[in-house]
């Protein structure tokens, strides 16, 4: 058997992380490309992280540079499996006690829409781009994220292919909606050994009866938002929308809360507020039904639209008739609020960090290359956590953030001299990836809630509340 040639090492602690993937790449060029791609993603840049940016070359004029062409071949033409790389990344996360999933976490289903011009790129279409709040030409990727009060990281990601790419459109057997992909990813995460308290999603998923039914049929617990005016069949005098059901609950003020009970919500900036939560009845949904409607608000008297959630869940009520036969532990209203609160803060934070790591910066056309790029971004994301937990001592030179503004708005960047050698290097090398990783993770930790809504004695199986990380 021919002995493998040694691969040029990646800078700093990135080499130890990258070496754990070496057996998935059969060629030296692929192992080298994996290291160079991750180093380029982690390096701070003042422009979108296209292939020229990852290689440290000039835009446009540097596209033919050998380092850029090497990364292009690695991403589009070389032989390696993105699913195998992602599976190895998840194995490493599960094996590390600091990042291993546990039953108190939440699996968040979301989609990420990125603008892309033209019509030749795979998965591009005129569709709803949630991050921009409007319809446009772009690529939408359905993602699952595991999160608790301390950290979060992506699990799976699958681009959604619009119907126009199929011969029979929406009637084509190969066509899959975003909801179908999301349900499949939740099942894949469960089958991969990722424990979680419930699946959480916004009202785009929560309003869909078929999506909730698919999760329930698969034996998955869920907590999802509903639109306030989502109509439901009911008898004439009964409530027909979630907001109508919440208005029927008794409220006599903080001294006489009636049907409501106080819960504590902690926000990303560290302050806490007292909200109120209650189980409501809407059509066939009730406190002891197969579906529970839980309203949570900062003002039960007025139900302010910007500070009120309407949540549907299949978790049973503590002490209710469904608790004994349910495969899922019972959850009081405070626990329901905690679960959805985690989904609420991961959404924007995850998009910011993905932008920093070049999630939307790809300039490739094939579906295979797009999936590979996303798998590599997720590897860089997970490396940040691995470097953060491995480093227990302060750095000699702390990178200093300075305000910056790129194509996608305000970002957080570092002074170039502290991390990357100035100029476009022929052979790009990242000087201090650990500093960069620490800066990225510090931003993520600062965005996490300081505490949770539920108290430790309300958590199942006596699980203690993990202490928030200090950035």
């Amino acid at each position: 058997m021919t002995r493998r040639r040694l691969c040029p090492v990646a800078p700093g602690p990135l080499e130890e992380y990258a070496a754990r993937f070496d057996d998935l790449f059969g060629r030296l060029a692929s192992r080298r490309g994996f290291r160079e791609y991750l180093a380029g993603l982690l390096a701070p840049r003042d422009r979108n992280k296209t292939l020229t940016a990852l290689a440290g070359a000039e835009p446009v004029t540097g596209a033919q540079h050998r380092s850029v062409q090497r990364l292009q071949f690695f991403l589009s033409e070389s032989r390696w499996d993105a699913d195998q790389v992602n599976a190895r990344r998840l194995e490493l996360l599960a094996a590390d006690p600091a990042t291993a999933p546990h039953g108190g976490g939440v699996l968040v289903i979301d989609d990420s829409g990125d603008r892309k011009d033209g019509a030749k790129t795979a998965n591009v279409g005129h569709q709803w781009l949630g991050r921009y709040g409007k319809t446009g030409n772009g690529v939408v990727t359905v993602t699952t994220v595991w999160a608790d009060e301390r950290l979060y990281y992506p699990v799976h990601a699958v681009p959604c292919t619009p119907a126009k790419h199929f011969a029979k459109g929406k009637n084509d057997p190969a066509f899959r909606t975003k909801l179908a992909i999301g349900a499949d990813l939740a099942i894949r995460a469960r089958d991969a050994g990722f424990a979680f308290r419930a699946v959480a999603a916004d009202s785009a998923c929560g309003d869909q009866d078929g999506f909730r039914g698919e999760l329930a049929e698969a034996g998955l617990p869920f907590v999802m938002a509903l639109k306030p005016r989502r109509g439901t069949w009911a008898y004439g005098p009964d409530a027909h929308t979630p907001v109508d059901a919440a208005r029927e609950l008794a409220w006599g003020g903080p001294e006489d809360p009636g049907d409501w009970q106080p819960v504590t919500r902690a926000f990303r900036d560290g302050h806490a507020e007292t909200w109120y939560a209650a189980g409501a009845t809407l059509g066939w949904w009730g406190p002891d039904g197969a579906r529970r409607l839980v309203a949570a608000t900062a003002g039960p008297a007025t139900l302010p639209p910007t500070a009120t959630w309407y949540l549907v869940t299949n978790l049973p009520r503590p002490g209710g008739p469904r608790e004994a036969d349910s495969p899922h532990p019972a959850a009081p209203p405070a626990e329901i609020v905690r679960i959805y609160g985690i989904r609420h803060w991961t959404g924007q934070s995850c998009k910011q960090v993905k932008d920093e790591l070049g999630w939307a910066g790809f300039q490739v056309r094939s579906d295979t290359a797009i999936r590979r790029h996303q798998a590599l971004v997720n590897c860089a994301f997970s490396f940040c956590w691995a470097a953060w937990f491995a480093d227990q001592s302060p750095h000699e030179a702390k990178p200093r953030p300075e305000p910056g503004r790129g194509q996608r708005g305000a970002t957080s960047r570092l002074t170039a001299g502290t991390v990357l050698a100035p100029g476009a290097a022929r052979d790009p090398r990242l000087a201090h990836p650990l500093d960069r990783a620490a800066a990225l993770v510090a931003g993520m930790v600062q965005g996490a809630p300081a505490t949770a809504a539920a108290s430790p004695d309300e958590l199942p199986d006596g699980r203690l509340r993990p202490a928030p990380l200090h950035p």
Side-chain angles (χ1 to χ4, degrees):
M1 181 179 293
T2 304
R3 185 176 182 181
R4 271 195 169 190
R5 290 181 293 170
L6 295 178
C7 179
V9 299
L14 183 58
E15 171 60 28
E16 181 182 357
Y17 183 80
R20 299 176 181 179
F21 296 81
D22 278 350
D23 62 308
L24 303 180
F25 300 100
R27 295 180 177 272
L28 171 63
S30 297
R31 298 194 295 274
R32 178 178 180 178
F34 181 70
R35 287 161 169 79
E36 291 181 349
Y37 208 97
L38 291 187
L41 293 173
L42 291 164
R45 301 292 187 190
D46 292 333
R47 56 191 171 100
N48 287 351
K49 290 188 176 179
T50 60
L51 288 174
T52 54
L54 298 185
E58 293 292 333
V60 184
T61 59
Q64 300 304 316
H65 194 280
R66 63 181 181 181
S67 61
V68 179
Q69 291 297 304
R70 190 163 57 231
L71 290 181
Q72 174 71 50
F73 184 87
F74 167 72
L75 195 62
S76 301
E77 305 296 336
S78 61
R79 296 183 178 180
W80 57 279
D81 191 331
D83 289 337
Q84 291 181 358
V85 170
N86 190 65
R88 177 62 52 84
R89 178 183 67 88
L90 297 180
E91 289 175 6
L92 297 176
L93 289 169
D96 188 345
T99 56
H102 55 78
V106 176
L107 188 73
V108 181
I109 298 178
D110 202 356
D111 60 81
S112 175
D114 304 299
R115 290 195 185 104
K116 290 295 173 183
D117 296 327
K120 300 298 183 181
T121 302
N123 308 313
V124 164
H126 195 71
Q127 50 195 327
W128 176 259
L129 306 178
R131 66 181 303 171
Y132 303 107
K134 62 181 181 180
T135 301
N137 207 52
V139 175
V140 174
T141 303
V142 182
T143 61
T144 49
V145 175
W146 190 93
D148 65 6
E149 289 80 10
R150 300 170 63 238
L151 80 163
Y152 63 93
Y153 47 77
V155 182
H156 295 108
V158 172
C160 179
T161 306
K164 71 171 188 176
H165 291 268
F166 298 94
K168 297 182 180 180
K170 294 183 178 180
N171 295 323
D172 196 288
F175 173 73
R176 303 174 68 205
T177 64
K178 291 187 291 185
L179 295 176
I181 295 175
D184 179 64
L185 293 185
I187 296 172
R188 285 177 58 185
R190 189 266 314 273
D191 294 343
F194 273 73
F196 47 84
R197 184 69 167 96
V199 175
D202 59 15
S203 58
C205 298
D207 282 348
Q208 305 301 319
D209 296 336
F211 179 71
R212 297 193 310 272
E214 191 170 351
L215 293 181
E217 185 178 353
L220 295 175
F222 59 79
V223 174
M224 300 182 186
L226 298 170
K227 293 179 181 177
R229 298 294 179 181
R230 179 190 182 277
T232 301
W233 184 92
Y235 292 104
D238 296 337
H240 288 74
T241 65
V243 66
D244 293 338
R247 286 172 178 165
E248 291 184 351
L249 298 172
W251 168 256
E255 302 300 327
D256 181 21
D259 295 327
W260 301 84
Q261 57 180 274
V263 296
T264 301
R265 275 206 63 207
F267 292 78
R268 291 192 298 174
D269 60 3
H271 83 279
E273 293 182 5
T274 298
W275 279 35
Y276 292 87
T281 300
L282 177 63
W284 300 107
W285 298 354
D288 296 321
R291 302 290 184 269
R292 292 169 59 197
L293 174 65
V294 176
T297 180
T302 59
L303 300 176
T306 58
T308 302
W309 297 341
Y310 304 97
L311 308 175
V312 58
T313 180
N314 60 346
L315 295 172
R317 178 178 64 86
R322 292 181 53 241
E323 182 178 9
D325 298 330
S326 174
H328 314 301
E335 175 71 354
I336 303 299
V337 173
R338 181 191 77 88
I339 292 171
Y340 190 72
I342 292 178
R343 189 225 71 86
H344 212 63
W345 71 261
T346 58
Q348 184 62 28
S349 300
C350 193
K351 291 174 183 176
Q352 291 171 348
V353 176
K354 282 183 176 180
D355 283 346
E356 192 73 25
L357 294 174
W359 176 266
F362 62 88
Q363 288 184 333
V364 290
R365 293 187 183 275
S366 70
D367 177 72
T368 297
I370 293 174
R371 291 172 184 253
R372 286 178 171 181
H373 170 79
Q374 293 174 345
L376 293 169
V377 171
N378 287 341
C379 284
F381 191 106
S382 299
F383 164 73
C384 292
W385 285 115
W388 173 265
F389 286 114
D391 180 51
Q392 301 296 332
S393 60
H395 302 297
E396 295 180 2
K398 290 284 186 181
R400 294 176 298 172
E402 61 180 19
R405 188 170 183 83
Q407 180 180 351
R408 300 188 180 279
T411 60
S412 176
R413 64 177 184 178
L414 308 179
T415 55
T418 61
V419 180
L420 192 67
R426 272 185 289 174
D427 193 14
R429 286 290 182 266
L430 189 63
H432 301 293
L434 185 58
D435 288 348
R436 183 60 180 159
L440 286 173
V441 176
M444 292 189 285
V445 174
Q446 289 172 346
T451 59
S455 60
D457 58 348
E458 293 174 317
L459 296 177
D461 301 328
R463 182 178 61 84
L464 296 178
R465 175 79 61 201
L469 296 175
H470 193 282

